[in-house]
Structure formats: C-alpha cells, structure tokens
Amino acid sequence: MNIIKVQDYDEMGSVTADYVSEKIQDNPEMTLGLATGSTPKSTYKHLIEAHQKGTSFKHITTFNLDEYVGLKPNDPNSYHYYMNKFFFQHIDIPSEKAHLPNGHSRNISQECEEYEKKIKSHMIDLQILGIGANGHIGFNEPGTSFESNTHVVELADSTRRANARFFSSLEEVPTHAITMGIASIMSSKEIVLLVSGEAKSEALERLLSGEEPNESFPASILRSHPHVTIIADKEALMGTGIKL
Ligand code: GLP
C-alpha cells in the first residue's frame, strides 16, 4: 500500500481530485467507484473545480458503494441526494451513467443481485473509499465475509451513532443499508482510501500495523489488494508513528 501524506482535509481533497482527474484524462471512459460520508466531500469540491477548468465526466461511469434502505432518492439523508448535491449536479455526467443501489426497491435482494451484475459488467477502475472508526468499508461492518458481494446489512450501533449527525435524531437513522460487499470492492483494479481526522487515527494505525487480513477488521483486506493508495492527513496519521 502506498501512502500519500497531506497536511489537512482540504489538501486531501485537492490531491485526490488531481489523482482522479489524471486517471480520467488517461481513460475518459473509466469506471469510478464513489463513496459518501464527510471524508470525500472535499474531493468532490475539488473535482467540481476541475470540471469548471475543463475536466469532463461525460463518458465515465460511476458506482456508489452504498445506500440506506428505506430512504427515497429525494430524501435529503439518502446517498442519492448527497451525490446529486455535492457532485453530480455540478458536473456533466449523464444521470444514467451514475449508479447507486436503490434502497427503496420493493425487492431488496433482487436489487443487490442486479447492482452486483452491473458492477461486474463494467469493472471498477478506481474505487474511492472512506473508513469507519471500527474499520468498516462501505457499510461492511466487522464480521462481514470477505467473499461478500452487494448485500443488505444491519448497521452497527456505533455506525448509526456516528452517522446520526446527518439526521435530526438517532431514531431517524435507518437500521439497514445496501452495500457493495468486500469481494465487490476488492474486484476494483485500484483503490484509493481516504483517511482524515483524529477519529480515524486508531483505525489507520491498525490498518498499517501489519495485522493479517481478518474479518473482524474489514479494512484489513486492503493489505492483500495489489494496488491501494492511502491518502491520509496529519491528524489521522498522528499515533501511527508516520511523520509528515
Ligand atoms: C459511512 C459510509 C462509508 C464511509 C464511512 C466513513 O457510514 N457508509 O462509506 O466511508 O462510514 O464516513 P465518514 O467519512 O463520514 O467518516
């Protein structure tokens, strides 16, 4: 795993956006895997700026990692809404090329199967990932099988609490989500993991500690992927022994 060290959250966004923009220039029809949460927001901000300076997203295809079950796409807490607000509506990607799982489908297991099929038919060239404080990637909580494809998960209490800041109350945070599985994520040709802030420092330390991949710490699987770049800021690196 390569590590790119950055000073702060904003620099993480600009470095990641430059990295992604270069990949798009090399391959304008690439397939990009996208994440939500607080971490990638600065990346989207800088990618929008890149678009204003000429980068086109017209021919790329995107797949998001996850979506809450039970929220309609126009619900302000859904990841559909998030992606439109923070990224898609500001760039030139045709809406039919931007894929997210449909958490409001009547048949959630069928939705998972279809989403997985779509991912497999495209092959993700570059997947952007965040990490949960408990090591989750996407919504794959500790204990998730490394063989998992897109599936429904019951969210860990700690994850619901961590994400409650986006909702008016903890009760409103959905109990379930659809997420790409660990195997779906690992099938990406390349992965860029973004780690920002002190709250993620323990998880980053554990990831870098040399621990063998094990299902109790989902992010540990990344150690066995051939092409992972971690972009981490100073606060996240604190405690890992890695100096900027
Ligand atoms: C969320 C998302 C993940 C995200 C992670 C970290 O629950 N499902 O895809 O990477 O947890 O979120 P944040 O960036 O807000 O800390």
Side-chain angles (χ1 to χ4, degrees):
M1 297 189 294
N2 301 323
I3 301 185
I4 299 176
K5 301 162 211 164
V6 294
Q7 280 294 337
D8 55 27
Y9 177 68
D10 190 64
E11 192 184 346
M12 164 182 290
S14 80
V15 167
T16 311
D18 286 351
Y19 194 91
V20 171
S21 301
E22 274 176 33
K23 297 278 172 184
I24 295 174
Q25 266 160 32
D26 292 347
N27 176 10
E29 294 185 6
M30 76 180 292
T31 299
L32 189 58
L34 298 174
T36 48
S38 306
T39 309
K41 274 189 193 166
S42 63
T43 299
Y44 296 139
K45 184 188 107 185
H46 286 279
L47 280 173
I48 292 165
E49 284 169 17
H51 174 60
Q52 286 157 357
K53 290 181 194 145
T55 301
S56 174
F57 297 85
K58 221 179 207 157
H59 301 293
I60 69 162
T61 299
T62 64
F63 284 95
N64 264 76
L65 280 169
D66 43 23
E67 176 60 290
Y68 289 112
V69 168
L71 300 189
K72 289 188 176 151
N74 61 359
D75 186 307
N77 287 312
S78 74
Y79 287 160
H80 273 83
Y81 190 92
Y82 168 113
M83 288 308 300
N84 284 330
K85 178 172 176 189
F86 294 110
F87 194 33
F88 296 148
Q89 74 180 32
H90 306 282
I91 59 169
D92 57 348
I93 187 167
S95 59
E96 67 277 10
K97 286 173 139 276
H99 304 278
L100 282 99
N102 177 7
H104 204 250
S105 163
R106 287 212 185 150
N107 188 336
I108 293 286
S109 57
Q110 190 184 329
E111 170 64 21
C112 293
E113 265 176 47
E114 283 169 8
Y115 198 69
E116 186 68 31
K117 262 191 218 153
K118 273 189 244 167
I119 294 170
K120 290 219 162 83
S121 72
H122 281 266
M123 285 289 290
I124 294 174
D125 293 297
L126 173 65
Q127 174 68 55
I128 294 174
L129 277 188
I131 185 171
N134 64 0
H136 75 232
I137 48 176
F139 266 132
N140 295 288
E141 300 287 11
T144 306
S145 165
F146 282 166
E147 309 301 319
S148 53
N149 288 322
T150 301
H151 63 294
V152 180
V153 285
E154 183 170 1
L155 300 176
D157 264 359
S158 58
T159 302
R160 291 187 66 237
R161 279 177 209 288
N163 289 1
R165 65 190 192 276
F166 300 112
F167 294 78
S168 346
S169 68
L170 178 61
E171 290 65 43
E172 273 186 32
V173 184
T175 54
H176 291 76
I178 298 180
T179 182
M180 272 190 208
I182 304 268
S184 341
I185 293 170
M186 288 294 281
S187 68
S188 312
K189 291 186 199 154
E190 178 179 359
I191 293 171
V192 172
L193 174 70
L194 306 181
V195 195
S196 170
E198 211 185 329
K200 302 296 173 64
S201 151
E202 259 183 63
L204 181 59
E205 187 180 13
R206 193 165 167 191
L207 176 62
L208 299 176
S209 71
E211 175 176 322
E212 286 296 308
N214 67 89
E215 290 174 357
S216 65
F217 186 65
S220 61
I221 190 69
L222 299 176
R223 299 184 65 86
S224 64
H225 191 284
H227 196 173
V228 174
T229 302
I230 299 173
I231 305 182
D233 69 11
K234 206 174 178 176
E235 286 189 1
L237 284 163
M238 234 171 354
T240 62
I242 297 174
K243 299 260 175 321
L244 256 191

